Amino acid sequence: MSKKKSPCSKHANRFRLERDRTGLTREAACAQIGISFNTLAGYESGSEARQRIPRFDIAVRMAAVYGCTLADLACPSYLEDVHLLPRKNAA
């Protein structure tokens, strides 16, 4: 699991909102995504000290479980980091 801090503080809110929208508990979401409770808690944490971002394959699984798109889960800077959007400062 990645320990990279999120470049966008809105990740945690989006992860939690999408999970809440599905009505899944953290435990149920973890089981369906295939990650530990602590890992999901780190993704959903608003604390910069604990906040983590998922690897791309985990983000894809999260989107599938939550019935949303990657764009629903991520702020633009994350999509730039995984090369789904061009960087704004690219020459």
Side-chain angles (χ1 to χ4, degrees):
M1 306 296 149
S2 172
K3 292 186 181 181
K4 183 179 177 184
K5 287 186 182 174
S6 173
C8 180
S9 64
K10 295 180 183 177
H11 282 306
N13 291 337
R14 290 183 185 212
F15 296 148
R16 175 76 186 261
L17 286 172
E18 289 299 329
R19 181 177 58 78
D20 286 346
R21 187 185 55 75
T22 66
L24 291 172
T25 63
R26 263 193 193 158
E27 292 85 356
C30 291
Q32 291 184 34
I33 297 166
I35 57 177
S36 74
F37 183 91
N38 287 338
T39 297
L40 185 58
Y43 297 153
E44 293 183 353
S45 173
S47 163
E48 287 207 23
R50 289 192 60 218
Q51 190 176 8
R52 300 164 51 174
I53 59 170
R55 292 186 328 245
F56 182 73
D57 61 312
I58 294 172
V60 169
R61 290 196 312 252
M62 289 172 78
V65 168
Y66 298 160
C68 66
T69 67
L70 286 174
D72 293 330
L73 289 177
C75 65
S77 63
Y78 176 75
L79 296 176
E80 290 171 1
D81 285 347
V82 295
H83 308 293
L84 293 178
L85 289 177
R87 292 198 180 275
K88 291 179 184 172
N89 60 356

